[in-house]
Each structure stands twice: as structure tokens, then as C-alpha cells.
Amino acid sequence: IDMPPGTGDVPLTVFQTLPVDAAVVVTTPQSLVQMVVGKSCRMLELLHVPVLGLVENMSYIPCPDCGRKIRLFGEDGAAEKAAAEHHIPLLCSLPMNADVARLCDAGEIERIVCEELAPAADALEGLLS
């Protein structure tokens, strides 16, 4: 279930109503967002929902010419700090990818190729097996 960020009524109601075995917290690279990550992790802990890891979305844009990672939101390591603070693994850092948005908008999400998700998928498969 893709939940809105934070600890408002919607996430709280879902976690109290539906059986949830575990969660993956998704963040963005801005330092201010890490406050929301902390609140989410603490809420999940209080609800006894294990957090399997953290995924950093919109981490960078790959340069189309040289492949260098352009970090629009800076390089302060906010996701790494949040993962360490909450004792959860940072599963992966995902780039901004126009193809993902285009395929989602077209209803063709199954066609998305995102090699950067492989470490998260491998880690989750190992945790869940």
C-alpha cells in the first residue's frame, strides 16, 4: 500500500485497520524530509510494524552524456543519516527518471526498467524468505 508521508489520520487508520506485516519507508534527499521519516518510523514502531528499510527516491538525475549523477538536492547524506538513526538499511537510491513517469501515466507500470531497484528487491527477498 503506497501511503502518504507522515503520521496523519490516513496512515494511522490504515495501519490500525489492515493487517500489515512490514513497511518500507520512502524518502527524498532533502534534510527537512528526514523529520517526517523519523515520525513515520516512530509511528510504525509504536504500532509494532517492522520497517524493512529505507528507499531514497529522486536521489539524482543521471547525466545523459557522461552518466555522472547530478544531485539536485545536494549531497548531505540525509537518507544515510536517517537509516542509521533508525537502525534500518538504506535499500537503494533511485534516480529521477522521465520514463517511469511516462509509463505510469500510460498505465504501463509493468514496463518500467529500473536497475537501481535491484539492491532493494534483493535485500527484501532476503529479509522475507
Side-chain angles (χ1 to χ4, degrees):
I1 300 171
D2 185 3
M3 302 294 301
T7 56
D9 288 341
V10 172
L12 187 57
T13 300
V14 168
F15 288 123
Q16 290 177 328
T17 306
L18 298 176
V20 178
D21 294 326
V24 173
V25 176
V26 179
T27 188
T28 55
Q30 301 97 321
S31 294
L32 185 59
V33 175
Q34 302 319 310
M35 179 180 65
V36 177
V37 169
K39 286 181 178 184
S40 295
C41 287
R42 285 188 289 282
M43 178 188 72
L44 291 165
E45 184 179 316
L46 290 171
L47 295 172
H48 306 290
V49 176
V51 179
L52 300 178
L54 185 68
V55 170
E56 184 181 55
N57 198 13
M58 300 189 297
S59 299
Y60 59 91
I61 296 175
C63 174
D65 296 322
C66 69
R68 185 176 66 89
K69 294 178 179 180
I70 302 166
R71 299 193 182 272
L72 295 177
F73 299 108
E75 298 191 38
D76 68 355
E80 291 89 351
K81 291 174 191 172
E85 180 180 334
H86 298 288
H87 309 289
I88 57 176
L90 177 60
L91 299 174
C92 64
S93 295
L94 302 177
M96 292 182 173
N97 184 332
D99 287 339
V100 170
R102 182 182 53 75
L103 289 169
C104 286
D105 289 346
E108 299 176 354
I109 194 168
E110 69 279 358
R111 292 188 50 220
I112 293 172
V113 176
C114 183
E115 295 170 7
E116 294 83 3
L117 271 174
D122 292 345
L124 293 175
E125 184 178 48
L127 290 169
L128 297 174
S129 43

